[in-house]
Amino acid sequence: MKYDVAVIGGGASGLACAVRLTEKSQLKTVIIEAGDRLGKKLASAGNGQGNISNADLSPSHYFGGGAKLAERIACSDPQACARLFDCILTADEKGRIYPAGRQASSLCDCLIRKINGKADVILSTKVTRLERGFKLTLSDGRTVGARFVVFCAGGKAQKQFKTDGSAYALVEPFGHKTTKLYPSLVQVKTQTKYIKALKGIRADCNASAIVDGKAVKTVRGDVIFTEYGVSGNAVFAISPYITDKEGTVISLEFLPDVCASEIAQNFERRKSAGCAVGDLLSGSLHNRLGAAVIARAQTEDAIIGTLKNFTLQVEGTLGFDYAQVTRGGIDVRGINGNLESKYADNLFFAGEALDVDGDCGGYNLQWAFTSGMYTADKIIEKI
Ligand SMILES: Cc1cc2nc3c(=O)[nH]c(=O)nc-3n(C[C@H](O)[C@H](O)[C@H](O)COP(=O)(O)OP(=O)(O)OC[C@H]3O[C@@H](n4cnc5c(N)ncnc54)[C@H](O)[C@@H]3O)c2cc1C
């Protein structure tokens, strides 16, 4: 089988690349996908609702050696999703952009419809070897020839989507290196001493990652207490700042809209009405959460201090099997500004495979889509 372009991986970036190639060129394109369907991870994004981008595309939302690439490619293209999908998009109050129908799987349908009959798709088949020329060896023993290859095989997060990190090895023989990998946007394991009774409780708070005694990131949102530590969108959002550094702490500020003096006044009123110390937070916080705060405080003043700075020692994360994205990836020092390999002409990279990751809130899909389309444009420019 001989193609102009072989796309390795039919996830968000691979699909975006193939759509663009079929829309803008006559190049004979094939997508080779290890899974039994295209875009399986995309179909489960945003709790199945598909948070595909964000109204605030400031560069500070991107990390990794390729953050500057994301600034140039993802942040400069706020209309990318509108162009890519033929459906109506809406933003929520936090600026997170979704398809109006709030069904991520329908986004895959949009993309698959666009390439249908225009690009070949090989499913349930892994690329097991990539040689110069290019010759791709597939897991069923077949070979595919291609003039251009776009490496869109994702990262190491959630191997049930066939992203177990094994694909990085395909490009090692060309000289490409992979930076240190971390699970990101992931639940955090903490000491459980103070939160044992809180399993299942959700609280709206400011969550901060404290590294070396300094708050490196604070996010307002939901925190959910679990048997291993904490989850919820605020925890996901600060998890990129939690690496394997000793002494890292999560600090939770409950009642974030109410200042300490207002809480103190409330306590005074309640006490003059005969309220016991153990009940001072009843009604203001979930009863079990209130009890957990009070149990950690020696004095009344300390209750307010604990309420505003409820600290939990970090013991790690739930790891790659639970992470939404991989921090780290193919070292961008081995690619040029067109996302093309410096070691092999016509070998391009897009998406999570590269050392680029974004904050929670649509930034990773925005990167996957824009980098996928960008590589297609660069290939078309080259022919
Ligand atoms: C549960 C979940 C929810 C998420 N929600 C959001 C969200 O709401 N918003 C957001 O911005 N991001 C979200 N993300 C992150 C986002 O989905 C990913 O960053 C994005 O899908 C990356 O796109 P990609 O194309 O680079 O990789 P992927 O979408 O992971 O696609 C890579 C594809 O390559 C295939 N593959 C791997 N190796 C090979 C091989 N050797 N041969 C052939 N095929 C191969 C895999 O099967 C896979 O389909 C979520 C992630 C998860 C896991």
Side-chain angles (χ1 to χ4, degrees):
M1 291 178 283
K2 189 86 189 142
Y3 290 91
D4 295 314
V5 187
V7 179
I8 303 177
S13 60
L15 278 166
C17 175
V19 164
R20 188 72 152 202
L21 286 169
T22 54
E23 280 176 349
K24 303 264 177 202
S25 78
Q26 299 297 317
L27 291 167
K28 195 167 175 240
T29 299
V30 62
I31 303 179
I32 304 156
E33 165 55 45
D36 57 2
R37 273 188 289 130
L38 292 171
K40 260 192 168 173
K41 198 181 272 184
L42 170 60
S44 65
N47 285 326
Q49 299 190 33
N51 173 203
I52 49 176
S53 184
N54 201 290
D56 166 19
L57 287 178
S58 357
S60 60
H61 293 291
Y62 286 100
F63 314 97
K68 285 273 167 218
L69 291 169
E71 176 173 357
R72 186 164 56 79
I73 295 167
C75 302
S76 66
D77 195 357
Q79 294 307 315
C81 288
R83 278 200 315 279
L84 187 58
F85 298 102
D86 48 12
C87 63
I88 295 168
L89 305 176
T90 52
D92 71 5
E93 70 293 345
K94 289 187 172 151
R96 295 176 296 201
I97 295 174
Y98 293 87
R102 295 276 184 145
Q103 188 184 13
S105 63
S106 69
L107 294 167
C108 295
D109 299 338
C110 288
L111 300 182
I112 292 168
R113 204 165 37 242
K114 287 189 175 201
I115 57 165
N116 200 10
K118 295 180 189 153
D120 285 353
V121 176
I122 301 175
L123 292 174
S124 304
T125 308
K126 262 175 103 164
V127 177
T128 55
R129 194 159 179 215
L130 178 62
E131 291 164 84
R132 273 177 207 275
F134 291 97
K135 180 181 164 197
L136 293 83
T137 306
L138 309 189
S139 46
D140 58 11
R142 285 182 290 173
T143 56
V144 166
R147 208 172 132 204
F148 295 91
V149 165
V150 192
F151 185 86
C152 297
K156 200 183 167 180
Q158 303 215 4
K159 60 178 180 292
Q160 81 263 26
F161 294 106
K162 307 276 183 206
T163 42
D164 58 3
S166 60
Y168 298 120
L170 289 174
V171 293
E172 274 170 14
F174 297 93
H176 285 287
K177 300 224 169 355
T178 304
T179 62
K180 186 160 185 200
L181 307 176
Y182 295 95
S184 194
L185 306 188
V186 62
Q187 300 87 339
V188 176
K189 283 200 255 179
T190 65
Q191 62 179 152
T192 52
K193 187 175 162 192
Y194 304 114
I195 57 170
K196 273 204 174 84
L198 302 183
K199 188 178 162 195
I201 293 176
R202 179 187 294 261
D204 169 34
C205 50
N206 278 327
S208 303
I210 315 282
V211 182
D212 292 334
K214 284 199 200 91
V216 289
K217 180 79 176 176
T218 300
V219 171
R220 170 80 178 262
D222 279 347
V223 169
I224 302 165
F225 295 93
T226 67
E227 68 270 18
Y228 55 78
V230 282
S231 176
N233 61 23
V235 172
F236 271 44
I238 61 168
S239 69
Y241 300 83
I242 289 166
T243 54
D244 41 15
K245 204 146 200 193
E246 283 263 323
T248 301
V249 167
I250 284 188
S251 164
L252 304 176
E253 181 194 2
F254 300 117
L255 302 177
D257 298 321
V258 190
C259 67
S261 61
E262 280 177 79
I263 297 170
Q265 283 165 19
N266 177 270
F267 282 5
E268 283 311 314
R269 279 201 304 276
R270 292 188 119 183
K271 276 193 302 180
S272 19
C275 180
V277 171
D279 293 329
L280 282 175
L281 287 169
S282 114
S284 305
L285 282 188
H286 186 290
N287 277 346
R288 275 190 278 151
L289 189 49
V293 169
I294 290 168
R296 281 184 83 173
Q298 306 301 320
T299 62
E300 229 169 83
D301 282 350
I303 296 177
I304 298 173
T306 310
L307 195 61
K308 291 289 169 194
N309 182 24
F310 190 91
T311 54
L312 295 168
Q313 287 289 338
V314 171
E315 291 178 351
T317 69
L318 281 200
F320 285 107
D321 284 354
Y322 294 86
Q324 285 198 357
V325 291
T326 311
R327 171 159 280 197
I330 305 282
D331 193 329
V332 297
R333 286 172 293 192
I335 63 163
N336 66 24
N338 290 344
L339 305 188
E340 185 176 8
S341 170
K342 285 181 181 168
Y343 314 127
D345 275 355
N346 298 345
L347 171 60
F348 288 80
F349 295 87
E352 195 180 318
L354 285 166
D355 177 17
V356 177
D357 65 294
D359 266 334
C360 197
Y363 296 98
N364 289 293
L365 283 171
Q366 170 75 11
W367 164 246
F369 296 138
T370 51
S371 58
M373 290 192 278
Y374 185 84
T375 53
D377 288 343
K378 295 299 152 192
I379 290 171
I380 294 165
E381 276 172 25
K382 267 193 111 174
I383 49 171

